[in-house]
């Protein structure tokens, strides 16, 4: 099948690589000539485990191509995916200008019957706008070409996106025609050897499914963090409570780890967008609003613990930071708790020594570029030299079982502030390290 994917960012690049891996002829299109040049030279602009090898393999096999020119791949295209960004507007809504710009370009360039797929996370009703935009361009051309607009939301976890795409829990397809359902099922059939996990529905329900899924997961995170904060007040241990409730199969263990809050490109943006969608339809989404409010406050809990221990004025204090990315196995720092915690400490006069296996370039170039009182180091232990405390903010594997004796030796004060609850309190107590975590006094 000939596939065109417009937008070669995270979703577009992963999707295109995986479709090519299964034998489709895929062309990824992007308006950024520098990005396309890098991709054609084998330079992958994002970090995602397994992605680089898959891209290079399929480029070599001539099943994956990159270009800035949309016209040529659309000539023989069967399915065109819109995978451009939907940045958050000032009012919290998803900005559709890139999506509709692509739709306009498709209407101008398509040469045959086409399935147009919304892969980007978009508000309910976007497919109607995409359809109207394409049809308007076709009418201006005097063309009677037929097309379908499909909603096919992505459910990729950063750090595990390749596995998620190659072995999906489900593939949601929203369409209004049997032709569209048939072609989409053919496209995804190689990914299901034993069990068909394709779920078909109407377009608006598919658009809503993506928002509902992310809102549910974000709700579990904020709920557990609120329970953790209550645990601290009453003398309970949030980690033990987590085990107690997670053993209930109706609840499960996923997404109920106390921590410094959620970040990334999806949850914060989608929660705001869903709240805005509800408001535009005369509904006050109280629970979803509270999820966001709890998370915003949670991002500063570790900073508050540091201030309580060292005082309001942090001039002269140095803190070693382990982890900048919003989660492990990615270099993504969008809305990462580390941003808020570091800025709060620096605002009070502290100096930061930061280490992350992948995200330091992102911090330097974008998210912490205006923060002056910060230095970056090449290893986790370098961050601890002459530091007053260790602050753990991302649960990278290399942080799971460190040399605690070495940590104690390097730090001025044997203190760990853990925003991800990685360690055993009793183990640290035995070697004389003071341990502050989420959800326990």
């Amino acid at each position: 099948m000939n596939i065109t994917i417009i937008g070669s960012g995270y979703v577009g690049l992963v999707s295109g690589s995986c479709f090519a891996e299964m034998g489709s002829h895929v062309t990824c299109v992007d308006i950024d000539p520098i990005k396309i040049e890098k991709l054609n030279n084998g330079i992958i602009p994002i970090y995602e485990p397994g992605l680089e090898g898959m891209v290079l393999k399929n480029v070599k096999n001539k099943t994956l191509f990159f270009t800035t020119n949309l016209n040529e791949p659309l000539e023989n295209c069967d399915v065109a995916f819109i995978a451009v960004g939907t940045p958050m507007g000032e009012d919290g809504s998803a900005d559709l200008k890139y999506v509709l710009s692509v739709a306009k370009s498709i209407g101008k360039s398509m040469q045959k019957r086409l399935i147009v797929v919304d892969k980007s996370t978009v508000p309910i009703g976007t497919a109607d706008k995409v359809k109207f935009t394409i049809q308007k361009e076709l009418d201006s051309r005097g063309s009677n070409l037929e097309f379908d607009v499909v909603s096919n939301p992505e459910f990729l976890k950063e750090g595990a996106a390749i596995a998620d795409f190659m072995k999906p829990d489900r593939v949601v397809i929203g369409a209004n025609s049997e032709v569209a359902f048939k072609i989409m099922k053919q496209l995804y059939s190689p990914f299901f050897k034993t069990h068909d996990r394709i779920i078909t529905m109407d377009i608006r329900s598919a658009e809503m499914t993506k928002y509902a899924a992310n809102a549910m997961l974000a709700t579990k995170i904020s709920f557990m963090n609120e329970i953790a904060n209550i645990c601290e007040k009453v003398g309970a241990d949030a980690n033990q409570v987590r085990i107690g409730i997670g053993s209930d199969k109706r609840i499960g263990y996923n997404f109920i780890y106390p921590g410094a809050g959620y970040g990334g490109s999806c949850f914060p943006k989608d929660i705001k967008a869903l709240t805005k969608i509800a408001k535009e339809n005369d509904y006050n989404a109280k629970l979803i609003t509270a999820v966001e409010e709890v998370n915003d406050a949670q991002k500063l809990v570790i900073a508050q613990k540091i201030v309580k221990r060292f005082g309001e004025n942090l001039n002269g204090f140095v803190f070693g930071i382990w982890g900048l990315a919003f989660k492990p196995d990615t270099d993504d720092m969008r809305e990462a708790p580390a941003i808020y915690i570091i800025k709060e400490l620096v605002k009070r006069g502290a100096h930061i020594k930061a280490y992350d296996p992948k995200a330091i370039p992102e911090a330097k170039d974008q998210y912490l570029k205006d923060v002056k009182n910060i230095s970056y180091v090449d290893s986790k232990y370098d961050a601890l030299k002459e530091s007053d405390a260790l602050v753990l903010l991302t649960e990278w594997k290399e942080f799971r079982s460190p040399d605690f004796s070495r940590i104690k030796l390097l730090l001025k004060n044997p203190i760990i502030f853990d925003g991800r609850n990685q360690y055993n309190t009793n183990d640290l107590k035995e070697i004389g390290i003071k341990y502050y975590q989420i959800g326990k006094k």
Side-chain angles (χ1 to χ4, degrees):
M1 197 172 291
N2 289 321
I3 300 171
T4 301
I5 297 185
I6 303 106
S8 298
Y10 184 84
V11 173
L13 193 54
V14 170
S15 301
S17 301
C18 291
F19 281 131
E21 181 76 7
M22 288 302 199
S24 291
H25 181 282
V26 181
T27 302
C28 291
V29 182
D30 202 283
I31 61 172
D32 185 348
I34 296 175
K35 179 188 291 185
I36 292 300
E37 182 181 4
K38 286 182 176 180
L39 286 167
N40 281 322
N41 290 325
I43 301 172
I44 312 304
I46 59 173
Y47 174 73
E48 177 65 33
L51 179 60
E52 181 177 3
M54 184 175 286
V55 169
L56 296 178
K57 172 188 173 183
N58 287 288
V59 168
K60 182 179 179 181
N61 291 343
K62 299 189 183 303
T63 55
L64 180 61
F65 303 85
F66 302 102
T67 182
T68 57
N69 181 5
L70 178 60
N71 295 333
E72 185 176 342
L74 281 184
E75 287 181 3
N76 295 302
C77 182
D78 300 305
V79 182
F81 285 85
I82 301 177
V84 295
T86 52
M88 186 169 58
E90 292 183 3
D91 62 353
S93 62
D95 190 339
L96 294 177
K97 62 183 177 182
Y98 301 121
V99 171
L100 297 181
S101 176
V102 170
K104 185 175 182 179
S105 297
I106 291 173
K108 287 180 177 180
S109 302
M110 61 184 287
Q111 299 296 322
K112 53 175 287 194
R113 195 188 200 290
L114 188 63
I115 305 295
V116 179
V117 182
D118 284 332
K119 197 68 172 171
S120 304
T121 301
V122 293
I124 293 83
T126 298
D128 295 334
K129 296 179 180 179
V130 169
K131 183 176 181 179
F132 175 83
T133 303
I134 295 173
Q135 189 62 58
K136 184 178 179 181
E137 292 302 319
L138 290 175
D139 291 344
S140 69
R141 292 167 51 188
S143 172
N144 59 0
L145 285 172
E146 295 182 349
F147 69 96
D148 289 284
V149 177
V150 171
S151 175
N152 174 219
E154 55 85 13
F155 300 99
L156 305 177
K157 299 187 295 292
E158 291 193 47
I162 298 295
D164 286 345
F165 202 102
M166 297 299 288
K167 297 180 180 179
D169 293 327
R170 78 288 206 196
V171 172
V172 172
I173 300 171
N176 290 332
S177 81
E178 290 303 317
V179 172
F181 281 128
K182 181 180 178 181
I183 292 175
M184 292 299 292
K185 286 180 178 180
Q186 288 175 353
L187 178 60
Y188 277 104
S189 62
F191 296 91
F192 301 102
K193 287 186 176 181
T194 54
H195 299 289
D196 184 354
R197 295 188 176 91
I198 294 175
I199 303 171
T200 59
M201 59 184 71
D202 65 89
I203 292 174
R204 290 194 170 219
S205 295
E207 291 172 332
M208 185 64 181
T209 296
K210 170 65 174 181
Y211 282 111
N214 280 352
M216 172 60 78
L217 298 177
T219 299
K220 290 185 74 174
I221 293 170
S222 283
F223 172 81
M224 194 63 221
N225 281 332
E226 187 137 279
I227 291 296
N229 295 335
I230 297 172
C231 284
E232 283 196 35
K233 298 290 186 181
V234 301
D237 185 337
N239 285 314
Q240 294 185 29
V241 173
R242 175 186 63 80
I243 295 170
I245 65 174
S247 60
D248 186 330
K249 292 180 180 179
R250 296 170 300 173
I251 298 172
Y253 289 107
N254 291 332
F255 290 86
I256 61 167
Y257 287 81
Y262 60 75
S265 63
C266 293
F267 288 5
K269 177 170 68 71
D270 292 353
I271 289 295
K272 287 182 182 295
L274 187 54
T275 303
K276 184 69 165 50
I277 290 168
K279 186 176 181 181
E280 289 173 345
N281 288 274
D282 299 319
Y283 184 78
N284 181 15
K286 295 179 182 178
L287 176 59
I288 298 169
T289 300
V291 167
E292 182 182 17
E293 291 173 351
V294 169
N295 191 65
D296 288 344
Q298 195 69 21
K299 289 181 178 180
L300 292 176
V301 167
I302 283 292
Q304 292 163 358
K305 289 178 179 288
I306 293 171
V307 169
K308 185 176 180 180
R309 171 62 178 78
F310 290 99
E312 295 283 344
N313 186 348
L314 296 178
N315 278 305
F317 288 102
V318 179
F319 297 99
I321 302 290
W322 281 7
L324 297 170
F326 86 95
K327 63 180 290 188
D329 294 320
T330 181
D331 59 356
D332 194 344
M333 283 189 64
R334 284 174 286 186
E335 294 296 321
I339 298 171
Y340 298 88
I341 293 167
I342 287 171
K343 288 184 176 180
E344 183 68 19
L345 298 179
V346 168
K347 182 179 73 175
R348 297 172 181 274
H351 179 82
I352 301 298
K353 295 172 71 175
Y355 170 72
D356 187 284
K358 295 294 179 181
I360 288 176
E362 291 288 308
K364 287 181 176 179
D365 296 342
Q366 188 169 356
Y367 297 100
L368 296 174
K369 65 180 181 180
D370 297 324
V371 177
K372 304 300 181 184
N373 211 14
I374 185 171
S375 56
Y376 300 94
V377 296
D378 295 328
S379 77
K380 60 180 182 283
Y381 293 115
D382 286 343
L384 307 184
K385 295 174 182 176
E386 299 302 312
S387 292
D388 291 280
L390 161 61
V391 185
L392 190 152
L393 299 178
T394 313
E395 60 274 35
W396 286 93
K397 288 180 181 178
E398 68 174 275
F399 301 154
R400 290 184 183 177
S401 184
D403 185 338
F404 290 114
S405 296
R406 188 175 179 184
I407 290 174
K408 182 180 179 182
L409 185 65
L410 290 171
L411 290 171
K412 287 183 185 178
N413 303 293
I415 299 174
I416 296 176
F417 294 92
D418 188 352
R420 297 300 176 189
N421 287 16
Q422 290 288 287
Y423 306 133
N424 184 288
T425 304
N426 293 330
D427 291 344
L428 296 177
K429 188 176 181 180
E430 286 181 7
I431 61 175
I433 293 179
K434 182 67 175 177
Y435 184 50
Y436 297 86
Q437 58 180 312
I438 303 290
K440 186 177 181 179
K441 284 186 178 180

